Amino acid sequence: MAPWPGGAPFALFLSHDIDHVHDREMWRILADLNHIRRMILKGEGKRARMATARVGRAILNPKPPLRAFDAILRAEAQFGFKSTFFLLHDHYWARHGARYRLGDRVVREVVDLIVSAGCELGLHGGYYKINDTDAYRASRDVIAREFGIAPVGVRNHYLRLDGERTWRAQADAGFNYDSTFGHRDQLGPKEGRVRPFWVGAPPGCDHRGLVELPLSLMDVALFRCAGFDGEQALDAAWQAIGPVIAGGGLVTLLWHNTYFDEPEYWDWQWVYERLLERLAALNPWCATGAEIDQWWRKWQEGRAKASGQPGPPSA
Ligand SMILES: [Zn+2]
């Protein structure tokens, strides 16, 4: 078991993939309508009505983009927690592309809010070029140029991962950690991985590449794929992360900003807030991805020295 800082029983990594910032945006509304069509075909009338109400509200009375971020930061600050936000950089005019441009005024306001709350800005890697070192580098450079912050962490859109090929591309582009390893459609950690692990170093290489911070639970898997809601969703979420807590591991939560401050999807936020409450009562070490990466590298270095082996270079 990893001795987390301060003798904490487990570590907590709160994270948010920013897929959307605009409520009234063509691509988003098209995606919502397609989702409603699928729900009707599957006979999910109640959910389809709720989703239709949401589309109507977004068109007629879009909410100010910063409100969802405010709700997240307030919920986390209550317990002294902070989180990491992954900013998407990809083609705008593409089916699975970005739904905002990094140069948008509102994106700047969102970033200012995140950074002034002491949270971290990471890269939400694009859908189409997951094994392309130059694309990762270009995305990091754009964020650095726009916001003056070069991200050290990455998580790919739709959790797109091609194993070592993806990790090597990210490592070669200069990232320190990735957090893409996780289930898109199931609850709980993938392959039972509950602690950070090394990835992305070619065989025979003298450095250890990236630190992978494995995902424990994503909101979409809970509410969309498993179809839970309200109290049931909270119970299922708690059960899914239970083994990570019991094993003294790293609990990594992914909750999208899209579902905060949403009257129709109220329980997505409600479950997140209840989870934070329960987790806080257990006194975890909550840190940003960058902090966890740094700590993990130092700890591994210390262990390697103690066992007389050469350790990985400090990041
Ligand atoms: Zn995404």
Side-chain angles (χ1 to χ4, degrees):
M1 189 188 290
W4 299 111
F10 63 97
L12 178 60
F13 174 31
L14 303 174
S15 66
H16 312 282
D17 293 355
I18 308 179
D19 292 344
H20 305 271
V21 293
H22 303 288
D23 214 11
R24 184 165 56 195
E25 191 270 339
M26 182 191 75
W27 287 103
R28 178 170 181 181
I29 289 168
L30 288 177
D32 281 346
L33 291 173
N34 191 33
H35 183 226
I36 291 165
R37 182 184 62 82
R38 289 199 308 268
M39 284 189 285
I40 291 169
L41 290 177
K42 284 194 324 198
E44 296 179 10
K46 186 179 151 218
R47 284 170 197 271
R49 272 196 299 281
M50 189 174 71
T52 309
R54 200 226 163 271
V55 172
R57 182 174 56 73
I59 293 171
L60 299 172
N61 186 23
K63 67 180 179 188
L66 293 188
R67 270 200 349 217
F69 294 91
D70 261 329
I72 295 173
L73 296 172
R74 253 185 290 123
E76 293 169 354
Q78 234 187 311
F79 304 104
F81 291 164
K82 50 190 170 173
S83 58
T84 296
F85 292 77
F86 295 99
L87 206 53
L88 183 58
H89 179 243
D90 206 348
H91 309 296
Y92 183 77
W93 293 106
R95 184 158 181 240
H96 300 295
R99 301 302 175 235
Y100 54 88
R101 293 181 174 89
L102 294 183
D104 290 353
R105 182 185 49 82
V106 68
V107 176
R108 185 165 302 281
E109 290 173 2
V110 165
V111 169
D112 285 347
L113 193 68
I114 290 169
V115 172
S116 59
C119 292
E120 182 196 1
L121 198 63
L123 168 69
H124 196 27
Y127 182 90
Y128 296 98
K129 295 181 179 175
I130 59 166
N131 296 331
D132 184 336
T133 300
D134 290 341
Y136 284 112
R137 202 175 282 133
S139 295
R140 196 195 46 204
D141 290 351
V142 170
I143 292 179
R145 207 169 48 237
E146 287 288 340
F147 309 110
I149 298 165
V152 296
V154 55
R155 176 186 290 131
N156 286 344
H157 198 30
Y158 290 91
L159 304 184
R160 290 252 294 153
L161 181 64
D162 182 16
E164 283 295 324
R165 288 178 64 194
T166 304
W167 285 321
R168 270 181 217 166
Q170 295 170 336
D172 289 346
F175 285 92
N176 289 351
Y177 77 89
D178 170 69
S179 186
T180 307
F181 186 84
H183 285 304
R184 273 182 64 182
D185 53 1
Q186 288 177 45
L187 311 186
K190 187 173 174 180
E191 296 172 13
R193 305 302 297 248
V194 299
R195 271 177 279 282
F197 54 97
W198 293 108
V199 293
C205 175
D206 63 351
H207 74 82
R208 297 209 187 173
L210 291 179
V211 173
E212 177 63 28
L213 305 181
L215 184 61
S216 315
L217 180 67
M218 167 163 82
D219 54 359
V220 176
L222 181 66
F223 293 96
R224 284 260 156 95
C225 305
F228 289 117
D229 50 23
E231 294 272 0
Q232 249 192 344
L234 177 59
D235 289 347
W238 192 245
Q239 224 173 359
I241 59 177
V244 190
I245 298 171
L250 170 69
V251 174
T252 303
L253 298 182
L254 160 53
W255 246 247
H256 291 78
N257 61 290
T258 321
Y259 300 102
F260 283 81
D261 187 38
E262 290 275 307
E264 298 82 10
Y265 294 100
W266 64 272
D267 51 354
W268 294 50
Q269 179 175 342
W270 180 81
V271 167
Y272 186 68
E273 290 170 346
R274 297 292 80 71
L275 286 179
L276 294 195
E277 229 168 60
R278 288 186 183 188
L279 287 162
L282 301 174
N283 295 312
W285 176 53
C286 178
T288 64
E291 290 166 339
I292 296 168
D293 164 69
Q294 285 295 301
W295 178 84
W296 182 259
R297 283 171 190 271
K298 282 213 180 82
W299 184 65
Q300 290 278 308
E301 211 176 334
R303 276 203 341 162
K305 264 190 201 142
S307 69
Q309 288 167 3
S314 299

